[in-house]
Amino acid sequence: MMLAVFTLVMVLSIAAAAAARFGIKNLDIDHMLVAGRSMPAFMVFILAVGEVYSIGSILAFPAGIYAKGMESAYWYMGYLLLAYPFAYFTAPLIWRAANRHKALTVPEVFGRHFESRALEVVMSVGALIAVATWGQFQFVGIQVALTELGLGLSPIGLIGAAACLAFIYVGLAGVKGSAFVACIKDAAMMLGIVAVGVAAIWSMWGAPAEPLTVTMPQSHLTMGLPAITFAISTILFQGFGLYLQPSVSPFIFTGRSEAAVKSATVFMPLYLVMLPFGAFVALYALTALPGVENANRIFLDVAHDLLPPWLVGFVIAGACLAGILVLSVNALNCAAIVTRNLVPNIPATAQRRWTRLTIAVFLIVAAALTLVVPKLMVSVLNFSNYIAIQFGAGWLAIFFGRRVSATSVGLGLVVGVVVAVVLFATDANVGGVNVGLVAFVANLAITFGLGRVVPVTTLRRPVALATKPLAA
Amino acid sequence: MYRLPTMLIGMGVPIFLVVIVPPFLNDANLTWAGIPVLLLWMFFCIPAVALCLIVCWYCFDRRHYQAAEEDRP
């Protein structure tokens, strides 16, 4: 029964990707990457919010509470809670910048705004590292979830199947296909998380004659000063930067107007209502299943314990879809950067073919890396997070910078990444503050300070200075 | 583009709720049915932050942005 429900959800997701193709007479590169900049607020909401909730939200959030308690719960919920207020103000500016320069990728926005091919290449390399590793990381979670089905497939078989689905989701109709699949994924994921959460709440307070009291280790109940300093700096840093990362900001490009992207962010915090259900799963596990060695499996373990098999099928399908969808869109973003920004002179008519080919190559390479060097890829992911948010300084320069040159933005990014990597690698302690935030301050100083020292030949027109909102 | 009321309600209040208040609730003795009150506070912040953005959009910003939509060719 579990397998039947899982298969049904997967078939529905493929049908959704195929349905997205209807109505598009000619799938040109514009439609493939930004859906012709035509998406209404609802679809921008589904795409932008859905891509942020990867498989990590389902498996890693309860696992974090189970392993570390409040330390993990506070920063994770805190940064997501602040990401939407920040996006409310920055998302329309991102859309405006992309629309002004008719850009389909993040490096294109930078290259055209600062009129520099060299900056476009630097941004492409940075974006590629950030986007590719985040996409590739999804394979790890997909493997955990698919193993729960008990099909007896080898890791190669599981990863190969996931890669094929990822290709179908974006190969048929580009980013629009991904948005359609996101609807199915959100429904399955919501149903799964709420079902396990409600079952956990019912087991603790509904069914027993005497309601249980949650039992958490003392270390899980509170945070020490270093932990809270780190959590607050991380919340501010990641919350501010979430929608400025090259793996997330392209979703903003798909909106049909500034109003569409701004109004889409208004209800995004409500999507977080699934997190309390995940937290209750962790609280139940701490109380009823203490001492589990692999915390990453805790959500699925509780699902197996408390739910009928057909509902577990929904849970696994939602988790898998979340991972495969993020993987597919990141594959599309990588392909777009390679075909449009890194390899020069590919004719517009051939770009769609090259994009599909690059998606396939990306998926094969990412799958191979997952199988051959999984631990190395986790380390690379840590670095890639620091790279991704450094793009925030460049975006601020596009929004507000007049005396900012391509050199200062490129140099700022490089300095930011180097500072972050050095501090991270040497395990440096900067008053307990997240080293990414320290690196970001260095990046900002270079980006906005260099123009004060070295004369700037061309003054830029900041995107935020437009007098009224725009529509495509 | 950015007006003071929307900055205060849309950014100031969420930062107050998520960054300023939690250190005061970070106490191992503050629990309800064994659950840290700080965790319950973070649950409360979800509708509260959404409400802040809803107020910003529907009371202040929407009419400016809709005017641009209507101007669309």
Side-chain angles (χ1 to χ4, degrees):
Chain A
M1 195 61 187
M2 180 172 74
L3 191 59
V5 171
F6 176 84
T7 310
L8 177 71
V9 176
M10 288 299 161
V11 170
L12 275 176
S13 72
I14 294 171
R21 187 68 175 80
F22 290 116
I24 305 174
K25 282 181 187 166
N26 176 27
L27 185 72
D28 56 17
I29 196 73
D30 252 38
H31 275 100
M32 201 157 185
L33 300 183
V34 296
R37 253 186 265 281
S38 63
M39 284 207 193
F42 170 71
M43 292 305 280
V44 176
F45 173 88
I46 290 287
L47 191 61
V49 85
E51 299 304 334
V52 171
Y53 290 82
S54 72
I55 199 162
S57 311
I58 306 171
L59 302 183
F61 178 62
I65 297 180
Y66 187 84
K68 292 186 174 176
M70 278 314 300
E71 191 182 326
S72 179
Y74 175 50
W75 82 257
Y76 191 84
M77 291 189 75
Y79 101 83
L80 285 174
L81 275 165
L82 281 194
Y84 301 115
F86 282 124
Y88 180 79
F89 293 99
T90 56
L93 299 179
I94 293 173
W95 185 91
R96 189 185 298 172
N99 186 55
R100 178 191 285 181
H101 299 296
K102 304 292 172 228
L104 303 183
T105 66
V106 170
E108 264 170 34
V109 179
F110 282 92
R112 291 177 188 177
H113 186 83
F114 293 102
E115 299 168 285
S116 166
R117 168 74 185 142
L119 180 65
E120 186 178 327
V121 172
V122 169
M123 291 308 202
S124 299
V125 172
L128 210 53
I129 294 170
V131 174
T133 45
W134 175 235
Q136 185 274 339
F137 185 65
Q138 303 304 314
F139 271 128
V140 179
I142 294 166
Q143 231 179 329
V144 171
L146 279 176
T147 309
E148 290 297 312
L149 284 174
L151 293 174
L153 279 176
S154 67
I156 296 175
L158 294 175
I159 283 182
C164 288
L165 277 173
F167 184 80
I168 290 170
Y169 290 161
V170 286
L172 284 175
V175 73
K176 194 178 170 193
S178 167
F180 274 48
V181 176
C183 298
I184 307 282
K185 164 232 157 188
D186 282 343
M189 200 169 90
M190 281 277 194
L191 181 66
I193 292 181
V194 171
V196 187
V198 168
I201 292 168
W202 181 254
S203 297
M204 285 193 286
W205 292 295
E210 283 195 22
L212 289 174
T213 296
V214 172
T215 312
M216 288 175 84
Q218 196 69 11
S219 60
H220 282 42
L221 287 170
T222 185
M223 295 172 278
L225 186 63
I228 204 159
T229 308
F230 181 79
I232 287 176
S233 59
T234 306
I235 285 169
L236 290 169
F237 171 59
Q238 293 193 341
F240 164 75
L242 184 66
Y243 276 82
L244 304 179
Q245 293 183 64
S247 56
V248 183
S249 35
F251 306 131
I252 307 293
F253 298 0
T254 61
R256 69 177 174 199
S257 65
E258 287 183 39
V261 296
K262 198 172 180 80
S263 61
T265 63
V266 169
F267 293 98
M268 283 183 185
L270 290 178
Y271 202 90
L272 294 171
V273 289
M274 71 172 83
L275 292 184
F277 290 100
F280 279 112
V281 172
L283 296 178
Y284 169 81
L286 281 165
T287 310
L289 307 167
V292 172
E293 277 188 14
N294 184 0
N296 284 327
R297 288 186 37 85
I298 206 70
F299 183 81
L300 294 169
D301 282 350
V302 173
H304 276 296
D305 270 12
L306 300 178
L307 295 181
W310 67 272
L311 255 178
V312 178
F314 265 111
V315 174
I316 296 174
C320 282
L321 270 182
I324 297 171
L325 198 63
V326 174
L327 173 67
S328 69
V329 176
N330 281 288
L332 180 66
N333 284 340
C334 280
I337 291 167
V338 170
T339 52
R340 288 184 63 85
N341 307 127
L342 276 184
V343 182
N345 306 325
I346 295 180
T349 48
Q351 281 181 2
R352 189 183 70 182
R353 192 172 64 247
W354 277 96
T355 302
R356 279 189 177 143
L357 185 68
T358 319
I359 291 170
V361 171
F362 167 82
L363 289 169
I364 291 167
V365 172
L369 286 173
T370 309
L371 290 166
V372 180
V373 280
K375 283 185 181 170
L376 172 71
M377 294 317 294
V378 173
S379 306
V380 174
L381 180 74
N382 284 328
F383 288 128
S384 81
N385 282 337
Y386 290 123
I387 295 173
I389 301 185
Q390 298 303 324
F391 274 69
W395 278 115
L396 287 178
I398 290 176
F399 299 160
F400 306 110
R402 193 182 287 278
R403 292 182 162 278
V404 179
S405 65
T407 311
S408 51
V409 172
L411 196 61
L413 180 78
V414 172
V415 167
V417 170
V418 169
V419 170
V421 169
V422 168
L423 290 176
F424 182 76
T426 56
D427 212 10
N429 186 351
V430 192
V433 172
N434 186 314
V435 294
L437 182 60
V438 178
F440 188 71
V441 172
N443 182 350
L444 275 180
I446 300 282
T447 302
F448 286 92
L450 202 64
R452 310 274 169 199
V453 183
V454 181
V456 175
T457 49
T458 312
L459 292 180
R460 307 285 157 196
R461 187 159 64 96
V463 164
L465 286 189
T467 50
K468 65 177 194 174
L470 301 171
Chain B
M1 278 303 294
Y2 297 143
R3 281 166 290 277
L4 189 62
T6 55
M7 290 295 285
L8 280 177
I9 299 168
M11 191 102 73
V13 175
I15 288 176
F16 177 80
L17 295 174
V18 174
V19 174
I20 308 295
V21 174
F24 296 101
L25 302 175
N26 180 36
D27 186 336
N29 297 316
L30 280 178
T31 59
W32 179 80
I35 305 169
V37 170
L38 176 53
L39 186 61
L40 298 173
W41 173 259
M42 297 307 285
F43 295 169
F44 162 76
C45 286
I46 294 171
V49 169
L51 185 65
C52 290
L53 298 186
I54 287 167
V55 168
C56 282
W57 177 246
Y58 286 101
C59 298
F60 298 101
D61 290 336
R62 190 180 176 213
R63 57 180 180 272
H64 301 293
Y65 283 82
Q66 275 194 334
E69 287 268 88
E70 284 159 14
D71 290 346
R72 194 178 173 200

